Amino acid sequence: MISRQVSERIAFGVISLTAVLVILPIVGIIAYIVVEGAGAISWSFLSEMPRDGMKAGGLLPAIIGTLALTVGTAIVAVPIGLGAAIYLSEYSKDNATTRAIRIAIINLAGIPSVVYGLFGLGLFVIFLNFGTSIVAGSLTLGIMTLPVIISTAEEALRAVPQSFRLVSTSLGGTRLQTIRRVVLPQALPGIITGIILGIERAAGETAPILFTAAAFFLPKLPSSIFDQTMALPYHLFVISTQVPGMPLQIQYGTAMVLLTFVLSLNLIATLIRRYYRQKRVW
Amino acid sequence: MTEDQPSSSGIGAAQGVATSSRGARAPSGSLAERLIGRAIQVTGISTVVMVVLIFAFLIREGLPAFVRVPLSSLLSARWYPIEGYFGLLPLIAGSLIVTVGAALIALPLGVATAIFIAEIIPDWARDILKPVVEVLAGIPSVVIGFIGMLVIVPAFRVALDIPTGLTAFTGIVLLAWMALPTVVSVVEDVLDTVPKTYREAGLALGMSRWQTIAKIVVPAGKSGILTALMLGVGRAIGETMTVMMVTGNAPRLPSSPFDIFQPARTMTATIAAEMGEVAQGSTHYHVLFAVGLTLFVITFAINMAAAMVVFRRTKRAERMLS
């Protein structure tokens, strides 16, 4: 029989090797895209319209479209998500309504993104007659983002010590005053982190905007929120699968721009979380 | 108390706190205050309304499919919408094989990675690796599909010596990898909740660290690992872009569950690839919604089951602590 020490060494070795093998490609994929795509990046790549059937020129309409969808998503998801989180953390009692809300959030988190796309098509594009548009896409992405925002914001609100609320209440503060002046400011960094993470996910999504907002190619920028728009994730899909003879460098460059946008949101969220966790006195 | 589900982006769930004690005794205040309180309640309830709305619209657009296409045709093995063949079996089989395969690979890899991060490496390394794993959750699936197409697909074709690298297997491998952040974060949370005294008891009895992990910590977190499996499955079955880009999209019925080195097509990829081209209100349109409805029902069931497991675990933890 092998000794405890040897078996431990073998087991830890196997586990460490496995972990390294799955973690390394994460760094690898990012590094690879940067190496292959960096050559395509230039000011004109970011600031010009595509030319020659998208085989030359820049990404401007896709970048603007993704920014518009991101802002739209935030406008839809932040008020509802924050409200729902405050309700769950500060108001709700342990009753059937609360359980229904929790079940709803769990399920919203699990619905496949392409099914959100179908829903957006059915409700916003067709039934409400918004057409394939920035509005329809933002609403679809916004609803999809809700569970992320709600669960992180609720976690941040619950992390505020109960004694803070008791002190506020004992000084004569009403529940709303307590929430607004004591709980929310304390939980704000956590809430912002959650919002950024939710929006980051929406910014990189393709399936929900396929039939609700995205256009294959547009010769000019959208002029209203009821116009369709190009978007970075869908553009990457289009140029890598639908356009024959697309220069590889443009494909990698597009992937790099998308990845940079999404991962910088991720980085900002991580930094905020880390900074305030260290600063926190309770 | 709560059935919080750790979110897929790797943020732990709110720990269960008795909801009823939160600010319950604060005075309710003025009319304005009560109105705002009411508005906040409405936003909470709106989440339920949204799930109902999603379900309602999928039914509204999906049910006509079952009226227009006979059930025997829907359950046939041929998906060729242009000629009116709407057999869903190849799509269901494609989703099933890719999802189950991905989950089977993701679970051991995820558990190993979680043990590595939570139990083996020192704190400073954990502070670096945890965000790296979370970054994976942030990489858009279209980017992973893109790299899959350009790098993984040709590599598999050569390495496995098969006619095309666009196979179910390619999808399985990439999906398993993508499901990792979900599995790792759930399992890590669970390992965290196993009381320290359990470990100390193991070590005090002369067990090695590994024996303590394998015989005490992991078994104590069994239900959480089950949750991780279900959430991983839920994530894999809904994945669209990566699967569409690397599995070849041939709607064929696999000859056996191990027939994974050939092209396959999932339900999600079918919707994404075809919905853009169908006429609104056509049979094809309604059938695609029916596929979406099926996906909704499956993920709903998986998530409810996962929630039940979490719910029971919390109950048990409360008993143990009391």
Side-chain angles (χ1 to χ4, degrees):
Chain A
M1 212 180 116
I2 46 173
S3 75
R4 282 193 314 245
Q5 284 78 9
V6 176
S7 73
E8 168 162 306
R9 214 169 272 172
I10 295 173
F12 279 10
V14 171
I15 287 177
S16 306
L17 190 69
T18 315
V20 169
L21 280 179
V22 298
I23 294 173
L24 265 188
I26 304 174
V27 184
I29 198 172
I30 296 170
Y32 188 71
I33 288 174
V34 171
V35 168
E36 296 285 323
I41 308 293
S42 66
W43 177 242
S44 62
F45 190 62
L46 301 176
S47 66
E48 283 177 11
M49 301 294 289
R51 279 178 280 118
D52 301 340
M54 299 190 273
K55 290 186 186 115
L59 291 176
L60 185 66
I63 294 174
I64 299 282
T66 287
L67 286 177
L69 287 170
T70 310
V71 173
T73 304
I75 293 172
V76 174
V78 171
I80 303 177
L82 194 51
I86 293 175
Y87 178 72
L88 285 174
S89 159
E90 309 296 322
Y91 284 82
S92 68
K93 300 180 185 69
D94 187 24
N95 57 20
T97 315
T98 308
R99 275 195 295 277
I101 293 174
R102 290 201 183 283
I103 289 173
I105 293 169
I106 288 172
N107 284 298
L108 282 177
I111 295 174
S113 54
V114 73
V115 174
Y116 275 105
L118 285 181
F119 164 66
L121 173 68
L123 175 58
F124 303 124
V125 176
I126 297 172
F127 188 76
L128 295 177
N129 208 10
F130 291 158
T132 309
S133 62
I134 295 175
V135 176
S138 300
L139 286 164
T140 310
L141 288 171
I143 294 176
M144 194 195 77
T145 308
L146 276 181
V148 181
I149 295 187
I150 296 174
S151 54
T152 43
E154 191 197 347
E155 189 184 0
L157 291 166
R158 280 189 186 280
V160 177
Q162 189 63 9
S163 55
F164 285 32
R165 296 182 181 82
L166 289 177
V167 169
S168 168
T169 308
S170 67
L171 291 172
T174 63
R175 186 188 300 202
L176 191 64
Q177 285 168 336
T178 305
I179 294 171
R180 235 181 57 196
R181 309 233 175 104
V182 179
V183 181
L184 269 184
Q186 292 295 330
L188 201 59
I191 293 173
I192 293 175
T193 308
I195 291 173
I196 298 176
L197 287 175
I199 285 171
E200 169 207 350
R201 206 184 129 203
E205 276 288 356
T206 316
I209 58 170
L210 277 176
F211 347 109
T212 57
F216 189 87
F217 172 75
L218 292 172
K220 58 182 179 61
L221 293 175
S223 55
S224 97
I225 55 171
F226 290 98
D227 283 354
Q228 4 178 2
T229 179
M230 292 173 73
L232 280 172
Y234 182 61
H235 186 66
L236 177 61
F237 173 69
V238 164
I239 62 174
S240 62
T241 61
Q242 321 276 309
V243 183
M246 194 73 199
L248 265 182
Q249 202 180 44
I250 292 191
Q251 299 185 34
Y252 278 108
T254 307
M256 183 175 160
V257 172
L258 173 60
L259 206 55
T260 309
F261 181 61
V262 168
L263 293 188
S264 26
L265 288 176
N266 192 303
L267 185 69
I268 293 170
T270 309
L271 289 179
I272 293 179
R273 190 166 46 181
R274 191 165 285 189
Y275 178 71
Y276 280 97
R277 198 165 278 172
Q278 278 164 2
K279 249 186 67 173
R280 193 153 73 185
V281 286
W282 33 276
Chain B
M1 214 60 158
T2 58
E3 299 116 323
D4 287 300
Q5 162 203 23
S7 64
S8 55
S9 47
I11 309 116
Q15 296 305 316
V17 179
T19 25
S20 49
S21 67
R22 292 264 153 175
R25 268 162 296 281
S28 57
S30 63
L31 179 66
E33 173 137 333
R34 280 206 301 276
L35 281 178
I36 294 176
R38 188 56 67 165
I40 287 173
Q41 186 181 20
V42 168
T43 60
I45 292 170
S46 71
T47 55
V48 181
V49 175
M50 282 168 201
V51 174
V52 173
L53 263 183
I54 293 173
F55 190 49
F57 267 88
L58 291 174
I59 289 202
R60 182 186 129 108
E61 303 289 334
L63 273 193
F66 297 99
V67 178
R68 293 198 198 177
V69 186
L71 206 59
S72 60
S73 170
L74 285 175
L75 292 178
S76 74
R78 186 143 183 234
W79 176 266
Y80 199 66
I82 297 169
E83 296 195 355
Y85 292 99
F86 294 107
L88 298 178
L89 286 188
L91 315 183
I92 294 172
S95 278
L96 203 66
I97 282 190
V98 171
T99 303
V100 172
L104 287 181
I105 297 179
L107 190 68
L109 292 186
V111 171
T113 309
I115 291 176
F116 179 73
I117 291 180
E119 309 276 339
I120 296 183
I121 55 174
D123 281 352
W124 63 265
R126 183 181 318 165
D127 284 347
I128 299 173
L129 287 188
K130 263 188 86 159
V132 171
V133 173
E134 280 169 26
V135 158
L136 175 56
I139 300 179
S141 61
V142 67
V143 171
I144 295 179
F146 170 70
I147 290 294
M149 255 171 40
L150 289 178
V151 181
I152 313 290
V153 164
F156 278 8
R157 183 173 54 78
V158 175
L160 301 168
D161 192 23
I162 42 181
T164 169
L166 296 166
T167 63
F169 178 70
T170 320
I172 288 173
V173 170
L174 285 178
L175 276 194
W177 189 57
M178 292 168 74
L180 220 62
T182 312
V183 179
V184 171
S185 82
V186 178
V187 174
E188 233 197 295
D189 280 351
V190 172
L191 296 180
D192 262 358
T193 57
V194 176
K196 213 175 159 199
T197 48
Y198 284 29
R199 284 165 232 257
E200 285 163 358
L203 296 173
L205 288 171
M207 295 169 87
S208 67
R209 268 173 74 208
W210 166 243
Q211 285 172 319
T212 312
I213 294 170
K215 303 225 169 101
I216 298 181
V217 179
V218 172
K222 222 169 34 193
S223 68
I225 292 172
L226 185 63
T227 315
L229 177 67
M230 287 192 277
L231 294 178
V233 167
R235 176 141 169 68
I237 200 169
E239 179 42 54
T240 311
M241 298 315 288
T242 306
V243 175
M244 178 156 73
M245 292 163 90
V246 302
T247 57
N249 290 328
R252 50 178 281 282
L253 201 59
S255 54
S256 84
F258 303 103
D259 182 12
I260 54 174
F261 295 104
Q262 298 216 34
R265 159 141 21 156
T266 65
M267 299 194 274
T268 49
T270 306
I271 299 173
E274 296 178 6
M275 187 48 102
E277 288 151 23
V278 302
Q280 185 195 323
S282 65
T283 305
H284 192 180
Y285 169 92
H286 290 302
V287 172
L288 289 178
F289 265 95
V291 175
L293 180 63
T294 315
L295 275 170
F296 177 89
V297 171
I298 294 173
T299 49
F300 191 92
I302 292 174
N303 282 297
M304 290 307 290
M308 301 291 256
V309 175
V310 175
F311 183 66
R312 249 195 300 173
R313 186 178 79 221
T314 334
K315 275 277 155 76
R316 209 184 55 157
E318 276 163 13
R319 266 208 311 276
M320 286 193 315
L321 290 174
S322 62

